Amino acid sequence: MTEPAPRASDADATPEPDTAAFGPDADSAIAIVGMSGRFPGAPDLDTYWANLRDGVCSITDFTRAELLADGTDPADLSRPEHVPAKGYLADADRFDTEMFGFNRTEAATLDPQHRLLLETAWAALEDAGQDPLAVPTRTGVYVGGSPTEHMLAAHTDRRLAASLGAMQTRILTDREFLAPWISYRLGLEGPSLTVQTACSTSLTAVHLAAQALLLGECDTALAGGVSVDTVRRQGYVHYEGGIFAPDGRCRPFDERAGGTVPGNGVGVVVLRRLSDALADGDPIRAVLRGSALTNDGATKVGFTAPGVEQQTAAIVEAWSAAGLAPSAAQYVETHGTATELGDRIELAAATEAFAAETDTPGTGDRPRIGIGSVKSNIGHLDAAAGVASLIKTVLMLEHATLAPTVNLSRPHPELRLDASPFHVVDRPAPWPRPAEGPRRAGVSSLGIGGTNVHVVLEQAPDRPRPPAPAHRHPANPTNLTNAATRAAPVTEILPLSARTETALTALAAKLATALRAPGAPSLADTAHTLRTARTPMAVRAYVLASDRAEAADRLTALAEGRPWTGQEEGPDTDGPRELGELWLKGDSVPWPKSRDGARRVSLPTYPFEGETFGALTLPTATAAPGAEGTTEPIGTGTRPDDLTPAVSAILAEALGLDENAPIAPETTYFSAGGDSLTAVHLVGRLRDDLGIDVPITLFLEELTLQELAVRIVEAKEPDAAEDSLDALLAEFEAEE
């Protein structure tokens, strides 16, 4: 566990400031209250920060054996221009399907981008101190994704469409439905937009979410993006004059710069109006002071080329929206693709925007502004590139440390950095708070087609804690002057839950590590967050503790499956222990009121442990039928004379059940994962494959699967299938 951002300690005793103390900025600024992401070399943000801080290049160089095993054509590997490197995202095909209500057939068809984005949205809400299934309904979703091999394979496989249904296949694979799936599965009723602006998609999504909050269209917003073009280990082909580097390394602003490297990743941030976040005690990680969005239009040499004028405009407008001069920045996270034209134009635009507000370079009157690009660490994440840059910058603000851009030797002489307001950050450096205000930074993202985005970030405001109340001794109800009596510890209960024992064990271990880290949240804040900001699940445990160290030790014992061997519990734990036993039984627990001043804080999020569902792949020139690189048919399309087994097989296939495995007699269509879309598909499949016209309302009845199969075979009247689809969907929504 890396050192987290400094947080108020248990002993802080300065009064909580009123939101009015922040002036009008609290009403016009946006708080980043939670975030989550998975990036090359980093399954979580703690690892992401450690890699960034330490200057780690997380681009993977694949072996020939790895590429062949994942389906690369041997002829491609022999080409001298083939580069066996990528910002590879491990375990991108895993999915905790039961957490989100998909059956196995749906989960296998669901695009990996959808799977990752659902889990990341859940984790971001937990990081924000929110129960993901109890978020206020006025929560918007603004996300985008990249084209994927899985989606293309699904849309071109007629066998899959015939088996699952063309509409169902599209809904489960098309990036158009990235945002709606999040809104649907988490019950969010705010605006739900899938955003597409090429490489600037995810930062555009953040800008649109911030604007929606300021306009009052929603009160909380999730924003970000995902890019998983393929889950396979796969290199790329370098073309002279193209955007990809010849050596598998991205070197922004360097004399050896030759282009970028493709990469995969996902990131989501949770946004609220700053005034609301302050009033509600949200765990604010940074503040978005302003943002702007422009397009180059026709002011450039070609459609894919960048333009100086509107890049400059985006920067100037964003800082103007923040009510600040660009000179207030100490750092700018650039798009930084390491292409000759891209870096040159981006630096020219930034110089024009910042130079007018910055003292003459080289005079010593003002330090140069640091610049960098996370693409040197993880590659170019396409639709997720902007949110990767944003999260990097938030982490630097939190840790008061500038992370280095890697793979550098010396600046490219043609960029003339010495004559600009900037210097490339090429080594870790402290980022002290400036004398004239908080730490501030800009983040830029540029999309092919000309959509430019710039956002202005600021470190989170100082939020001192209220004085801790004096504790009373049970035998003496008055406040005593004895210091030991006043400091008598309060026993807190920390409830944990997960879907499986393995996940519960992992969660306990992660929480123990977090409580031992420097700057860890207080025990009161931890207990308050676990009791109010987590979805209760079936597998449960709890620990009782009176300080962080004891809590960490008890959690470690729980994670390791051994009995607690520390100090025995005192009589003051009887009440909390009774609540803990209620929690274990799955009963509703009347949790005690949290200690005065307790806040929801950022804690380790749910440890998803889903199995590998793989991904659909396009056929390769060398792939044999049924080998890797092809899509397997889901349905057989047969018409056996004995219809009951055939119907049972179709039901099992649509619901992701093993037709050869025993099915519990009480298993119903709903308990097996059936829903409205699957029912619509089944009606069509039964008609097309077996010539049975099924009344669509049959799926609304509480029938076991065996009973359902019999009733389907008995359905002889074609008129019975004329029920209203709208009525069906309404009934299903009521059931779910």
Side-chain angles (χ1 to χ4, degrees):
M1 168 73 84
T2 57
E3 182 175 347
R7 288 183 168 85
S9 69
D10 294 7
D12 287 333
T14 308
E16 173 86 13
D18 187 87
T19 57
F22 294 94
D25 289 347
D27 294 321
S28 62
I30 300 298
I32 299 175
V33 298
M35 56 190 194
S36 179
R38 304 184 202 177
F39 302 106
D44 53 54
L45 295 190
D46 284 332
T47 309
Y48 187 48
W49 170 244
N51 290 344
L52 294 172
R53 178 199 61 206
D54 297 341
V56 175
C57 177
S58 298
I59 294 172
T60 301
D61 296 312
F62 302 119
T63 66
R64 179 181 178 86
E66 288 174 331
L67 294 172
L68 289 173
D70 275 14
T72 299
D73 189 336
D76 289 338
L77 297 181
S78 301
R79 299 172 62 181
E81 60 269 28
H82 180 269
V83 182
K86 186 177 186 178
Y88 178 66
L89 187 65
D91 296 326
D93 58 352
R94 300 182 72 88
F95 184 48
D96 208 333
T97 178
E98 293 184 18
M99 286 281 288
F100 297 97
F102 293 94
N103 64 47
R104 292 185 57 79
T105 296
E106 291 171 330
T109 307
L110 191 68
D111 193 288
Q113 289 192 153
H114 289 71
R115 306 172 197 163
L116 286 169
L117 205 53
L118 280 164
E119 292 185 350
T120 306
W122 179 290
L125 286 168
E126 285 194 335
D127 185 67
Q130 296 280 357
D131 176 346
L133 295 185
V135 179
T137 54
R138 279 177 50 86
T139 297
V141 181
Y142 301 79
V143 296
S146 299
T148 72
E149 181 183 33
H150 179 98
M151 179 188 71
L152 293 173
H155 287 202
T156 55
D157 189 341
R158 294 182 179 180
R159 295 169 297 180
L160 179 61
S163 172
L164 191 62
M167 177 58 75
Q168 181 80 327
T169 299
R170 180 184 171 209
I171 289 172
L172 291 169
T173 59
D174 199 310
R175 55 182 171 165
E176 181 178 357
F177 299 100
L178 286 168
W181 271 123
I182 295 173
S183 298
Y184 177 64
R185 290 303 184 189
L186 301 184
L188 311 178
E189 297 176 3
S192 190
L193 278 68
T194 299
V195 180
Q196 295 302 152
T197 61
C199 317
S200 58
T201 289
S202 54
L203 203 61
T204 298
V206 171
H207 166 78
L208 294 176
Q211 294 299 305
L213 288 165
L214 295 176
L215 290 171
E217 294 178 350
C218 55
D219 299 323
T220 302
L222 284 77
V226 59
S227 181
V228 182
D229 61 333
T230 177
V231 301
R232 296 188 291 162
R233 291 165 291 190
Q234 188 177 75
Y236 63 90
V237 176
H238 163 72
Y239 296 101
E240 191 65 34
I243 65 170
F244 292 128
D247 59 355
R249 293 295 179 268
C250 182
R251 311 176 192 277
F253 311 113
D254 189 71
E255 65 176 354
R256 297 177 295 164
T260 192
V261 177
N264 291 160
V266 57
V268 173
V269 295
V270 182
L271 308 177
R272 299 197 71 202
R273 289 180 288 272
L274 178 59
S275 54
D276 291 342
L278 290 167
D280 294 345
D282 291 333
I284 301 173
R285 305 195 67 158
V287 175
L288 195 158
R289 289 289 303 270
S291 61
L293 183 71
T294 65
N295 190 276
D296 294 327
T299 60
K300 52 186 180 178
V301 298
F303 181 79
T304 61
V308 173
E309 181 180 337
Q310 289 305 310
Q311 283 189 35
T312 301
I315 297 170
V316 171
E317 290 174 19
W319 286 88
S320 176
L324 299 165
S327 59
Q330 299 96 48
Y331 178 83
V332 175
E333 175 69 12
T334 67
H335 191 62
T337 57
T339 58
E340 181 180 359
L341 182 62
D343 280 7
R344 179 163 52 83
I345 288 182
E346 183 174 10
L347 191 60
T351 297
E352 186 172 336
F354 286 92
E357 298 286 347
T358 308
D359 295 329
T360 303
T363 65
D365 296 334
R366 184 177 182 83
R368 293 180 184 272
I369 298 169
I371 60 172
S373 171
V374 76
K375 292 177 182 61
S376 67
N377 304 88
I378 60 175
H380 188 352
L381 271 51
D382 195 55
V387 74
S389 297
L390 180 79
I391 290 174
K392 169 193 172 181
T393 309
V394 171
L395 291 169
M396 291 196 301
L397 288 166
E398 282 187 326
H399 293 277
T401 301
L402 293 172
T405 295
V406 299
N407 303 321
L408 303 184
S409 54
R410 69 183 184 93
H412 199 298
E414 293 184 9
L415 297 179
R416 303 185 63 229
L417 276 166
D418 290 343
S420 78
F422 308 110
H423 73 96
V424 179
V425 178
D426 59 359
R427 64 196 64 186
W431 188 357
R433 182 175 182 137
E436 66 273 17
R439 292 185 290 277
R440 295 189 177 109
V443 181
S444 291
S445 192
L446 317 173
I448 287 179
T451 299
N452 312 300
V453 196
H454 189 84
V455 303
V456 177
L457 296 180
E458 184 175 284
Q459 71 180 88
D462 294 329
R463 304 173 69 192
R465 305 184 63 82
H471 296 293
R472 301 174 187 271
H473 192 279
N476 186 346
T478 61
N479 284 337
L480 304 178
T481 57
N482 182 281
T485 302
R486 288 200 306 272
V490 173
T491 298
E492 295 281 4
I493 179 170
L494 277 62
L496 304 177
S497 72
R499 196 175 58 78
T500 67
E501 292 285 356
T502 305
L504 185 72
T505 297
L507 183 60
K510 290 172 63 176
L511 187 58
T513 301
L515 290 177
R516 292 190 180 100
S522 72
L523 185 63
D525 287 351
T526 301
H528 175 64
T529 302
L530 292 174
R531 295 196 294 250
T532 64
R534 293 296 184 266
T535 299
M537 299 183 196
V539 181
R540 300 184 176 191
Y542 71 92
V543 299
L544 304 177
S546 56
D547 57 51
R548 281 193 300 248
E550 182 183 15
D553 290 343
R554 287 178 178 267
L555 287 164
T556 298
L558 174 64
E560 295 176 353
R562 56 179 173 81
W564 166 248
T565 58
Q567 184 177 356
E568 292 297 321
E569 297 170 354
D572 64 316
T573 64
D574 290 345
R577 189 185 298 109
E578 291 178 1
L579 295 177
E581 294 306 308
L582 284 176
W583 171 251
L584 293 182
K585 293 177 182 177
D587 295 341
S588 177
V589 181
W591 297 119
K593 182 181 178 182
S594 298
R595 288 167 56 180
D596 291 343
R599 297 195 190 111
R600 288 174 285 111
V601 292
S602 176
L603 294 176
T605 58
Y606 189 81
F608 294 106
E609 54 173 357
E611 63 183 283
T612 296
F613 279 91
L616 302 175
T617 59
L618 292 166
T620 63
T622 59
E628 185 171 357
T630 64
T631 55
E632 292 297 329
I634 293 180
T636 62
T638 59
R639 283 176 175 258
D641 294 331
D642 186 356
L643 293 181
T644 302
V647 168
S648 298
I650 289 175
L651 289 173
E653 183 181 295
L655 296 171
L657 305 174
D658 184 351
E659 62 179 293
N660 296 316
I663 298 174
E666 68 275 11
T667 302
T668 67
Y669 175 76
F670 293 106
S671 65
D675 59 18
S676 57
L677 289 172
T678 305
V680 173
H681 161 66
L682 282 168
V683 168
R685 176 79 183 279
L686 290 165
R687 181 183 61 245
D688 295 342
D689 285 13
L690 302 178
I692 302 177
D693 287 311
V694 181
I696 204 165
T697 49
L698 182 62
F699 293 93
L700 300 178
E701 301 182 28
E702 284 293 331
L703 302 172
T704 67
L705 288 177
Q706 289 88 341
E707 292 170 337
L708 181 60
V710 172
R711 292 279 297 275
I712 288 172
V713 173
E714 293 174 348
K716 303 295 185 181
E717 298 298 327
D719 292 342
E722 295 178 359
D723 304 273
S724 166
L725 179 59
D726 291 338
L728 168 77
L729 294 175
E731 290 284 354
F732 266 77
E733 292 297 333
E735 289 285 345
E736 294 174 353

